[in-house]
């Protein structure tokens, strides 16, 4: 059975997770602080109560002078002790009661005991304190026994009212700090989650706009999160690329229809004129028609080449190739076209062997050379250099032709891109030659650069890594 994921908005989910985490952390911290504090406080009270008892014994002993008890002071000490939850009965050596807490004030003793029980039951759920009595013998400075004292308390740990007040005060402070911490961190959590979710929402809206063809819109949002910022600039970049591709596609449709229409119209006018008897079907006229048909066939062939290249794009058939021989062969085969324009091709080629896809690299040389011839004026020069440099093969194609305008340089490797002015009949490419060149060089993990100046000439520089078998 399919499990359906419940979808939540990102910022709601982030806020919920962060807030639950914060509450958990705050409660854990508060409970730990509280329990550590209570434990320390308990230890302190136990130590304090023990000190009270021994101080009490010392005070009582010091009130015995010249064989007599100072009853006035003993009463003060006893009364004070009752207030601290300590109940004393003082006896002389023959066990006669000299001063007793309960005898002094039963009501007061009961009230204090009741308070202690209340306090302890209130602060400790498992308190089973028992009233215990201990008897200590009393001695004077000459170490003679002068009597005894019975001291009654609720064990060693018991809280008086002010201890409980203090504990409650501390708990209140911890709770307030906990609530404040939670509020502040919840506020920060909301800020953080908005910081993350808002730009994602912006990016997703932008993706929708792009999906509907709005490539010219850009995300104008600054984020202080590196990854989000990168995502935004990637989307902006993507939209730029899509916009460029869309423009190229439009341009391609116009270009192809233009390229096909011109020769077709020519053929049509020639044939119609001949059918209507306006023109004789002379050899020259038929040749002219034939030239247009050849031009059309060339165009269609180039399109077919491109399609073929696309389908075997990733296949490289590496064999050992001699660069010098390969270039020379192609130059000789194209010498005819160069001679027609009285163009001089000068070569300076090192004898380099390398593992390359021979057919594909030949295609690169053919395309670059035919471009150089095509875009060089009559009587110009073309220079081809090939040499080894730092584990790479470098091949330069330099011409003294029409050059490429600066603003067109970044587009010339794009499919179907042609610099407008070059769209003349003699320079009959369809703007895929350099696209193919670049793809082949990329496949060989090399690179191609171009330097060009309008009306001065262009230079294409290929760098191919030398692959040893
Ligand atoms: P095409 O088949 O139209 O020549 P390419 O892809 O080979 O297409 O070249 C794209 C465009 O780059 C050409 O239309 C041309 O304007 C320009 N270009 C290419 N090579 C040269 C060159 N050597 N000199 C001047 N312009 C060039």
């Amino acid at each position: 059975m399919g499990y359906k994921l419940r979808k939540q908005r990102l910022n709601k989910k982030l806020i919920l997770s962060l807030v639950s985490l914060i509450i958990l952390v705050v409660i854990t911290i508060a409970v730990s602080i509280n329990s550590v504090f209570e434990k320390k406080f308990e230890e302190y009270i136990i130590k304090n109560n023990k000190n009270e008892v021994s101080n009490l014994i010392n005070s009582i002993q010091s009130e015995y002078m010249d064989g007599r008890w100072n009853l006035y002071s003993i009463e003060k000490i006893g009364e004070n002790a009752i207030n601290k939850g300590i109940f004393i009965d003082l006896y002389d050596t023959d066990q006669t009661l000299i001063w007793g807490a309960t005898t002094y004030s039963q009501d007061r003793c009961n009230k204090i005991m009741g308070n202690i029980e209340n306090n302890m039951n209130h602060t400790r759920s498992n308190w089973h304190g028992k009233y215990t009595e201990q008897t200590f013998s009393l001695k004077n400075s000459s170490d003679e026994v002068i009597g005894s004292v019975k001291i009654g308390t609720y064990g060693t740990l018991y809280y008086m009212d002010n201890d409980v007040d203090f504990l409650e005060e501390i708990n209140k402070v911890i709770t307030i700090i906990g609530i404040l911490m939670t509020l502040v961190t919840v506020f920060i959590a909301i800020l953080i989650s908005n910081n993350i979710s808002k730009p994602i929402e912006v990016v997703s809206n932008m993706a929708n706009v792009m999906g509907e063809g709005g490539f010219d819109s850009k995300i104008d949002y600054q984020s202080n999160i590196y990854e989000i910022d990168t995502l935004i600039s990637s989307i902006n970049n993507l939209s730029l690329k899509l916009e460029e591709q869309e423009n190229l596609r439009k341009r391609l449709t116009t270009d192809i229809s233009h390229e096909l229409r011109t020769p077709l119209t020519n053929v049509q006018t020639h044939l119609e004129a001949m059918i209507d008897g306006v023109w004789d079907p002379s050899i020259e006229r038929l040749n002219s028609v034939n030239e247009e048909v050849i031009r059309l066939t060339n165009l269609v062939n180039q399109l077919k080449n491109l399609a073929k290249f696309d389908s075997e794009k990733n296949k490289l058939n590496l064999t050992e190739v001699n660069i010098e021989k390969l270039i020379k062969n192609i130059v000789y085969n194209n010498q005819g076209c160069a001679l027609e324009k009285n163009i001089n091709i000068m070569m300076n080629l090192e004898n380099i062997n390398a593992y390359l896809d021979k057919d594909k690299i030949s295609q690169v040389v053919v395309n670059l050379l035919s471009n150089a011839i095509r875009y060089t004026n009559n009587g110009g020069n073309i220079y081809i250099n090939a040499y080894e440099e730092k584990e790479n093969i470098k091949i330069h194609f330099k011409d003294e032709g029409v050059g490429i305008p600066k603003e067109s340089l970044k587009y010339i490797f794009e499919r179907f891109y042609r610099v407008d002015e070059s769209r003349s009949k003699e320079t009959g490419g369809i703007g895929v030659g350099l696209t193919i060149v670049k793809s082949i060089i990329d496949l060989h993990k090399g690179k191609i650069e171009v330097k060009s100046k309008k009306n001065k000439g262009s230079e294409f520089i290929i760098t191919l890594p030398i692959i040893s078998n």
Side-chain angles (χ1 to χ4, degrees):
M1 220 172 63
Y3 171 71
K4 199 155 184 285
L5 275 177
R6 233 183 101 230
K7 292 201 175 35
Q8 265 183 350
R9 290 188 74 86
L10 177 69
N11 75 338
K12 197 171 154 198
K13 197 159 182 148
L14 274 174
I15 292 175
L16 271 181
S17 329
L18 284 173
V19 167
S20 348
L21 191 76
I22 288 160
I23 292 179
L24 198 79
V25 170
V26 169
I27 290 179
T28 318
I29 293 177
V31 168
S32 342
I33 291 182
N34 190 273
S35 74
V36 168
F37 177 79
E38 274 189 3
K39 194 148 182 8
K40 290 282 164 204
F41 189 66
E42 244 179 63
E43 285 169 16
Y44 163 77
I45 292 287
I46 291 173
K47 207 168 139 206
N48 204 36
N49 288 347
K50 277 187 186 154
N51 282 345
E52 285 289 354
V53 170
S54 67
N55 286 344
L56 195 63
I57 293 170
N58 286 340
S59 313
I60 293 171
Q61 282 176 157
S62 65
E63 295 308 330
Y64 186 80
M65 255 179 255
D66 306 328
R68 290 176 53 129
W69 293 99
N70 181 347
L71 280 180
Y72 176 75
S73 299
I74 294 287
E75 192 168 292
K76 282 266 169 268
I77 294 170
E79 210 180 349
N80 210 10
I82 295 173
N83 290 340
K84 291 178 179 171
I86 306 171
F87 308 96
I88 59 171
D89 284 334
L90 175 64
Y91 298 95
D92 69 6
T93 37
D94 55 14
Q95 293 302 313
T96 317
L97 181 68
I98 290 168
W99 193 88
T102 41
T103 338
Y104 170 68
S105 172
Q106 183 70 48
D107 285 355
R108 193 156 172 67
C109 290
N110 288 347
K111 190 169 170 264
I112 297 283
M113 281 187 202
N115 279 357
I116 292 177
E117 276 177 26
N118 267 348
N119 288 344
M120 294 313 281
N121 286 327
H122 175 68
T123 50
R124 308 171 66 87
S125 51
N126 55 350
W127 188 71
H128 305 295
K130 252 188 14 224
Y131 184 75
T132 49
E133 288 181 331
Q134 272 177 294
T135 305
F136 301 89
S137 70
L138 303 169
K139 290 176 178 170
N140 63 10
S141 50
S142 337
D143 218 20
E144 294 156 352
V145 175
I146 51 172
S148 63
V149 64
K150 194 157 71 178
I151 296 184
T153 54
Y154 272 102
T156 45
L157 175 68
Y158 51 89
Y159 293 154
M160 303 305 292
D161 287 354
N162 52 346
D163 297 331
V164 174
D165 287 349
F166 177 69
L167 268 183
E168 275 177 357
E169 200 57 35
I170 289 290
N171 277 340
K172 218 191 279 173
V173 170
I174 292 177
T175 317
I176 290 173
I177 291 179
I179 293 173
L180 280 180
M181 262 170 69
T182 312
L183 288 179
V184 169
T185 37
V186 163
F187 177 71
I188 294 173
I190 293 174
L191 276 187
I192 292 178
S193 39
N194 279 345
N195 234 349
I196 295 174
S197 65
K198 183 83 206 298
I200 291 184
E201 207 176 305
V202 173
V203 169
S204 130
N205 288 343
M206 173 66 185
N208 284 338
V209 173
M210 276 161 65
E212 280 155 21
F215 306 130
D216 49 348
S217 19
K218 295 275 159 300
I219 304 176
D220 192 13
Y221 187 92
Q222 291 273 319
S223 164
N224 53 2
I225 302 170
Y226 177 78
E227 284 78 3
I228 299 272
D229 221 41
T230 317
L231 176 68
I232 291 177
S233 69
S234 312
I235 288 280
N236 277 342
N237 225 0
L238 179 68
S239 107
L240 195 79
K241 284 267 166 336
L242 285 173
E243 192 185 358
E244 281 174 12
Q245 287 303 321
E246 177 65 4
N247 290 341
L248 273 177
R249 192 185 59 78
K250 287 184 187 150
R251 201 174 159 147
L252 159 74
T253 325
T254 341
D255 280 3
I256 290 191
S257 51
H258 179 272
E259 298 294 336
L260 292 178
R261 191 158 19 95
T262 321
L264 274 176
T265 319
N266 284 346
V267 170
Q268 194 186 5
T269 8
H270 277 67
L271 288 178
E272 274 174 6
M274 282 187 249
I275 291 167
D276 294 346
V278 182
W279 282 346
D280 290 336
S282 66
I283 292 292
E284 293 94 69
R285 297 215 190 278
L286 286 173
N287 263 340
S288 162
V289 171
N290 194 30
E291 264 171 33
E292 292 297 354
V293 173
I294 292 172
R295 194 170 134 68
L296 267 175
T297 319
N298 271 343
L299 272 174
V300 175
N301 278 345
Q302 284 195 59
L303 282 174
K304 208 173 82 193
N305 264 347
L306 181 66
K308 180 169 169 274
F309 178 78
D310 270 345
S311 64
E312 17 175 270
K313 213 172 179 176
N314 297 318
K315 291 182 214 144
L316 269 190
N317 180 17
L318 298 180
T319 52
E320 193 174 16
V321 178
N322 183 286
I323 300 283
E324 185 190 3
K325 267 194 206 152
L326 181 137
I327 296 179
K328 272 189 176 157
N329 268 341
I330 296 170
V331 170
Y332 293 142
N333 290 340
N334 285 271
Q335 203 84 51
C337 305
L339 282 177
E340 268 176 29
K341 292 175 80 178
N342 208 11
I343 291 173
N344 230 338
I345 303 179
M346 278 171 285
M347 287 181 279
N348 186 359
L349 311 170
E350 280 182 12
N351 184 13
I352 314 164
N353 284 325
Y355 280 87
L356 302 166
D357 186 315
K358 191 174 176 194
D359 289 343
K360 291 200 167 81
I361 292 295
S362 302
Q363 173 91 65
V364 168
V365 178
V366 168
N367 288 7
L368 291 177
L369 180 63
S370 50
N371 274 353
I373 298 175
R374 198 184 283 166
Y375 299 107
T376 295
N377 300 325
N378 287 357
N381 292 315
I382 293 175
Y383 305 87
I384 308 177
N385 292 345
Y387 55 94
E388 253 184 74
E389 188 191 79
K390 295 185 203 152
E391 310 283 305
N392 288 316
I393 302 165
K394 292 266 200 180
I395 311 175
H396 294 237
F397 290 84
K398 191 169 185 301
D399 63 56
E400 295 173 343
V402 294
I404 303 165
K406 204 166 161 226
E407 61 279 9
S408 297
L409 276 177
K410 62 175 175 178
Y411 298 118
I412 54 167
F413 294 104
E414 300 280 0
R415 190 167 288 212
F416 302 114
Y417 183 84
R418 303 188 66 210
V419 179
D420 265 353
E421 295 100 299
S422 67
R423 202 200 285 145
S424 73
K425 212 169 170 184
E426 312 90 68
T427 60
I430 55 164
V432 297
L434 288 180
T435 315
I436 293 178
V437 166
K438 170 107 174 53
S439 306
I440 295 176
I441 300 299
D442 285 347
L443 269 181
H444 282 82
K445 303 213 170 8
K447 62 173 186 176
I448 178 159
E449 296 155 86
V450 55
K451 296 177 190 165
S452 188
K453 248 197 177 146
K454 211 167 167 213
N455 300 326
K456 286 267 185 290
S458 313
E459 183 173 13
F460 288 83
I461 305 157
I462 294 173
T463 309
L464 288 168
I466 298 179
I467 307 167
S468 47
N469 198 13

